[in-house]
Amino acid sequence: MTPTSSPAAPAKRQLTVPTVADLAAQGKSPEILFWVGCAGAFDDRYKRVTRAFARILEHVGTNYAVLGLEESCTGDPAKRAGNEFLFQMQAMQNITTMNGYGIKKIVTACPHCFNTIKNEYPALGGDYEVIHHSTYLQQLINEGKVAVQGGESYKGRRITFHDSCYLGRANNIYEAPRDVLAALDADLVEMKRSKANGLCCGAGGAQMWKEPEPGKKDINIERTEEALATLSGQAAALDNLRGVETERTVPSQHSLQGSIIAVSCPFCMTMMSDGVKNKEQESAVQVFDLAELVASAEGINA
Amino acid sequence: MLQPILFALLLLAAFGLFTWQVRKIRANILVGRDRDMSGHFGERLNKTLLVAFGQQKMFKRLTPALLHLVVYVGFLVINIEVIEIIIDGLFGTHRFLSFLGPVYDALMAVNEILAALVIVAVAAFWWRRNHHPPVQRFTGPELRMWPKLDANIILYIEVALMLALFFMNSADIKLHQLEGKELPGAFPVSHFLANLLPTTNVATLEGLERAGWWIHITGILLFLNYLPSSKHFHIIMAFPNVWYSRLVPQGQFSNVDSITHEVKAMMDPSYEVPAPATNPDGSALAPTPFGAKDVEDLPWTALLNAYSCTECGRCTSVCPANLTGKLLSPRKIIMDTRDRVEEKYNSPLIFHPNVYGPEAKHEPITDLANATLLRGKVTPEELWACTTCNACVESCPVNINPLESIVEMRRFLVLEESAAPNSLNVMFSNIENNGAPWAFSPSDRLNWADDLYVAEKAPARA
């Protein structure tokens, strides 16, 4: 069931992920830089996403490389928390590195890195074409380079997509991740609060690194409840949460078993996974990133 | 001859007083920091037409959008009649525009229907605010006595204005009927009302017609001068506010140029920091802090935002922090900003509710040193609850940006007071020391690529 274990993998090859420095030593430079991000490099759960995305890049024969040890935090959490000085130190360090290598195009699986490099680096001298991996995957599927066939089948599985604020409202990317999921032939269901009206997972703005302020609920629980209710066909019952008075109790129309919350952001991944655990549904509902779903549907995990 | 003179004086006084108030508000907005919002004419025009004139963002919620549309279109169309009233008032004419013939018929008919619909919409608005429990976004700790009263005053004035219009028209119709004449214009509602008028006394009817006329126009002029004290000022400020919207992606936070110079100088000792701006006489300007402690530290657009807010609460109703019971309410930040700028700078207000009203007596400011926007009104607890998710920005029908003010105040807390929550300080030092917000060794950054295999499979199409 997990995308990392594929049923039968006859031939596999080990990957040596190229670094920009290695390529430079050979007098080459990558067509596209894969910006891994701190969560992608260090968070155990999101490392699986990074690995899935690297497999996809290798599978389609992309001319890519990573910065490896030369990559450093974009400064996003520092900037959102108000530490503009630290942000600009990080940004300028990264810009110096990337400009030194003549980087032109960047792909990243983190909406926060994406937003920061795309929108905030230009003012500091870093001008790149930056694309989020959801858009990149959408392009691969549209170009026919990835058929999303030959591996795990998601046909008919109930999937709901949780919009990341920094992809959605921050950068108006709503359709790319949905197009990717549509290619899986799954049963896509939308939460009531989706796209421009999507509810934050609770981790943005540096909340990831602190305890929430006192309140009556954690934001990720509110969001997970909505996702679970949507997946089980009980979303109407959630009207109660929003102060809409209803006496109806809507019977569950769908079993939660095997359904998926799809995310496209490392922080959403953490928050939604914690939420599912908190609701004790982790044996029924899984939280996957788009890259994991694509790699597993394509059957390239080994 | 007396009436036109009286009317001219009234008009002069009303517009004079309004101009005086608006100039003070303009000065208040300009205490904010400079921000270049020039250029992008086409894009700004487009946004203004869609969002301000076209009410595009209101239509995310259909019921209030339709009710609001009635009042908004009513406001626009009935203003055409105000032009006639002003001409009649100044020159002693009666229904000056009636020479327009069928156009006048149509105009009056539309006017009457809209006026009736406005009364219905206003009644619905009143119900939404005042029944128990009211619509949720019309509650909340920041909607204290004055904001609640203000909201109802606006509704009462609007009904009074519409009723005056109907009294004027129906009395006029009856007067004409008694003389066996037809009043120019079509009046579907007042024609009906005229039959209900319980008198055929010409003097009474003339008095009624004149009273309706004077109450309608005086009411409008009074209302005009009430606006600067009220959230209803949005009917004017929404337009410049949308015009000066941020045009960059919502995720892009402002750059602090002064810090850019410092960081560049640190990384490259040969970098020349440009000379700081000086006063016109060449003396050094007072140093400006990083971020915002008080209203003058915010960009002027944030203060324009504050004067454009009609306290509808859409921002707060979609705020994930507020939804889950945290103290943060984006609407409160905007309301606090307006209150504070008037407390500290000009108060142009005739009513001045926040300084002299019962509200102020309940919460006297005792800690004068901390009577700034930050801490005096907005607490760090509110600021740290924000997830920077942009839901508030997205939801605002007039493109107010509470997030920007929140981040500016966070900047002050962190850069001027080192007052971030402890866990965030840990995150900062992790970034400084490890290049990552967590305490991982930078040498492990490529460990994710260890033992990585891919299944050999031809790509679908090379």
Side-chain angles (χ1 to χ4, degrees):
Chain A
M1 289 286 285
T2 65
T4 39
S5 68
S6 82
K12 61 178 184 178
R13 76 185 153 93
Q14 185 162 12
L15 300 184
T16 313
V17 174
T19 66
V20 179
D22 292 343
L23 292 187
Q26 304 162 31
K28 290 190 275 190
S29 73
E31 197 176 292
I32 190 162
L33 170 72
F34 173 23
W35 182 275
V36 176
C38 301
F42 295 117
D43 179 88
D44 278 338
R45 178 67 188 85
Y46 222 65
K47 274 199 253 182
R48 306 217 307 258
V49 177
T50 310
R51 288 163 73 88
F53 191 62
R55 285 190 182 101
I56 296 168
L57 291 173
E58 289 279 348
H59 171 62
V60 298
T62 310
N63 176 7
Y64 80 103
V66 299
L67 280 173
L69 306 189
E70 290 184 274
E71 191 183 292
S72 192
C73 172
T74 59
D76 159 82
K79 188 174 179 92
R80 314 294 140 193
N83 196 337
E84 183 70 12
F85 197 86
L86 180 55
F87 160 71
Q88 293 202 10
M89 294 286 291
Q90 288 299 118
M92 294 224 200
Q93 182 189 334
N94 285 321
I95 290 168
T96 307
T97 307
M98 291 195 285
N99 288 355
Y101 286 123
I103 299 297
K104 299 274 182 291
K105 194 173 174 186
I106 301 170
V107 63
T108 179
C110 173
H112 294 259
C113 298
F114 166 73
N115 176 68
T116 304
I117 301 175
K118 175 177 168 284
N119 295 324
E120 290 162 359
Y121 277 21
L124 302 170
D127 282 292
Y128 318 100
E129 182 192 346
V130 192
I131 46 179
H132 185 251
H133 81 322
S134 55
T135 310
Y136 194 77
L137 292 170
Q138 178 197 32
Q139 287 168 1
L140 291 180
I141 292 168
N142 287 348
E143 291 164 7
K145 288 183 179 165
V146 169
V148 278
Q149 272 165 17
E152 173 95 23
S153 170
Y154 291 93
K155 193 172 165 54
R157 298 266 296 269
R158 283 176 77 79
I159 301 184
T160 191
F161 178 69
H162 163 79
D163 286 278
S164 149
C165 307
Y166 275 82
L167 201 58
R169 277 186 294 269
N171 289 292
N172 284 317
I173 298 177
Y174 301 111
E175 294 312 322
R178 288 176 170 81
D179 282 358
V180 171
L181 292 172
L184 297 172
D185 208 11
D187 183 8
L188 271 185
V189 281
E190 288 286 354
M191 286 186 258
K192 199 163 175 182
R193 290 175 284 195
S194 71
K195 298 187 183 172
N197 302 322
L199 182 74
C200 177
C201 71
Q207 298 293 337
M208 186 74 193
W209 292 273
K210 59 185 270 299
E211 286 304 311
E213 272 50 44
K216 52 184 200 295
K217 198 188 221 179
D218 283 348
I219 296 170
N220 66 325
I221 303 301
E222 167 87 10
R223 185 55 162 172
T224 307
E225 283 171 355
E226 184 176 9
L228 295 178
T230 305
L231 288 169
S232 65
Q234 282 181 300
L238 278 178
D239 284 347
N240 281 320
L241 288 177
R242 282 182 287 274
V244 181
E245 290 187 36
T246 167
E247 292 299 313
R248 291 172 298 159
T249 47
V250 185
S252 180
Q253 293 155 354
H254 299 274
S255 156
L256 276 177
Q257 194 62 45
S259 55
I260 292 168
I261 299 172
V263 296
S264 60
C265 167
F267 306 145
C268 300
M269 169 71 85
T270 303
M271 298 307 265
M272 298 309 284
S273 303
D274 286 355
V276 171
K277 273 186 210 120
N278 178 285
K279 293 276 146 193
E280 297 179 342
Q281 291 294 346
E282 67 268 37
S283 59
V285 179
Q286 284 165 295
V287 185
F288 286 131
D289 183 272
L290 299 175
E292 293 178 295
L293 293 170
V294 169
S296 118
E298 187 75 358
I300 55 170
N301 291 329
Chain B
M1 207 46 221
L2 188 63
Q3 272 200 27
I5 293 171
L6 266 179
F7 184 75
L9 287 175
L10 175 72
L11 213 57
L12 210 63
F15 279 100
L17 184 58
F18 182 67
T19 311
W20 178 76
Q21 294 189 80
V22 167
R23 284 170 64 98
K24 294 213 161 195
I25 285 176
R26 184 172 181 275
N28 274 0
I29 291 171
L30 292 179
V31 305
R33 282 191 188 160
D34 274 349
R35 167 169 290 180
D36 184 13
M37 299 300 275
S38 59
H40 305 280
F41 185 85
E43 203 178 340
R44 293 193 184 285
L45 183 66
N46 196 27
K47 247 194 171 59
T48 307
L49 289 176
L50 276 175
V51 176
F53 285 97
Q55 315 237 317
Q56 187 189 37
K57 289 174 89 181
M58 284 295 287
F59 279 85
K60 286 190 163 197
R61 302 187 192 200
L62 195 60
T63 311
L66 291 173
L67 294 172
H68 184 266
L69 185 70
V70 165
V71 180
Y72 165 69
V73 175
F75 165 73
L76 290 183
V77 175
I78 290 167
N79 271 340
I80 300 175
E81 188 169 0
V82 173
I83 296 173
E84 180 183 51
I85 289 182
I86 289 175
I87 294 170
D88 285 351
L90 285 176
F91 302 105
T93 51
H94 187 69
R95 297 195 179 265
F96 173 79
L97 291 178
S98 57
F99 73 88
L100 293 171
V103 176
Y104 190 73
D105 287 355
L107 188 66
M108 288 301 113
V110 169
N111 229 335
E112 286 245 313
I113 292 165
L114 278 172
L117 288 174
V118 165
I119 293 178
V120 174
V122 165
F125 281 148
W126 188 90
W127 175 253
R128 287 164 62 85
R129 280 184 182 272
N130 295 288
H131 82 285
H132 291 283
V135 170
Q136 187 150 20
R137 64 187 161 88
F138 300 132
T139 62
E142 67 270 26
L143 282 200
R144 296 171 300 178
M145 192 209 87
W146 167 248
K148 279 193 165 156
L149 181 63
D150 181 29
N152 282 334
I153 289 174
I154 294 161
L155 298 178
Y156 299 144
I157 294 178
E158 281 170 351
V159 169
L161 290 177
M162 296 306 109
L163 289 179
L165 196 68
F166 284 133
F167 267 111
M168 174 180 100
N169 286 343
S170 48
D172 207 3
I173 288 168
K174 190 133 190 182
L175 279 170
H176 278 72
Q177 280 172 352
L178 291 176
E179 293 175 25
K181 282 192 276 186
E182 186 72 24
L183 179 66
F187 302 91
V189 179
S190 294
H191 244 291
F192 171 73
L193 292 177
N195 297 330
L196 300 181
L197 285 180
T199 175
T200 49
N201 183 316
V202 172
T204 314
L205 287 171
E206 275 175 349
L208 206 56
E209 193 271 343
R210 281 295 87 191
W213 191 91
W214 277 101
I215 290 172
H216 186 67
I217 186 64
T218 326
I220 285 176
L221 296 175
L222 282 175
F223 200 25
L224 181 72
N225 280 289
Y226 174 73
L227 293 183
S229 304
S230 161
K231 79 189 188 77
H232 208 51
F233 204 32
H234 84 284
I235 64 171
I236 292 167
M237 299 304 274
F239 298 94
N241 195 63
V242 172
W243 179 268
Y244 288 114
S245 299
R246 291 173 91 239
L247 300 175
V248 297
Q250 282 176 7
Q252 180 178 329
F253 288 16
S254 66
N255 193 58
V256 182
D257 293 331
S258 55
I259 291 180
T260 308
H261 295 311
E262 272 188 55
V263 173
K264 280 190 174 160
M266 238 167 76
M267 294 179 77
D268 174 10
S270 66
Y271 179 80
E272 277 189 37
V273 177
T278 52
N279 285 320
D281 61 6
S283 62
L285 286 169
T288 51
F290 294 125
K293 183 183 195 182
D294 214 342
V295 282
E296 66 276 6
D297 304 326
L298 291 169
W300 65 271
T301 47
L303 304 180
L304 178 65
N305 279 180
Y307 276 106
S308 313
C309 176
T310 191
E311 299 163 15
C312 73
R314 281 170 176 76
C315 52
T316 295
S317 75
V318 296
C319 172
N322 190 277
L323 276 171
T324 54
K326 277 82 172 176
L327 215 51
L328 173 63
S329 163
R331 170 173 58 188
K332 176 179 174 291
I333 308 249
I334 301 297
M335 292 170 70
D336 285 346
T337 305
R338 180 168 171 174
D339 289 351
R340 174 60 189 159
V341 77
E342 292 185 343
E343 178 184 288
K344 182 165 182 178
Y345 293 95
N346 295 304
S347 187
L349 310 184
I350 298 173
F351 298 93
H352 223 324
N354 292 300
V355 179
Y356 303 123
E359 202 104 353
K361 293 195 184 88
H362 285 302
E363 292 173 35
I365 300 164
T366 48
D367 184 2
L368 283 174
N370 281 326
T372 49
L373 178 62
L374 175 61
R375 295 191 201 281
K377 299 215 180 280
V378 180
T379 59
E381 182 180 335
E382 291 163 66
L383 299 172
W384 291 120
C386 174
T387 69
T388 71
C389 76
N390 263 308
C392 54
V393 181
E394 183 78 35
S395 72
C396 180
V398 297
N399 285 356
I400 292 171
N401 188 334
L403 175 54
E404 181 162 47
S405 299
I406 292 173
V407 171
E408 287 292 350
M409 284 186 269
R410 280 187 176 186
R411 283 177 179 164
F412 187 89
L413 285 172
V414 171
L415 298 171
E416 296 283 348
E417 296 188 335
S418 298
N422 242 342
S423 45
L424 289 186
N425 284 328
V426 172
M427 180 265 284
F428 295 151
S429 60
N430 281 332
I431 293 179
E432 281 168 33
N433 300 325
N434 312 322
W438 295 283
F440 290 105
S441 164
S443 60
D444 291 342
R445 198 174 260 280
L446 202 48
N447 289 4
W448 63 267
D450 292 347
D451 300 319
L452 178 61
Y453 294 86
V454 64
E456 287 285 16
K457 184 187 167 193
R461 202 194 312 150

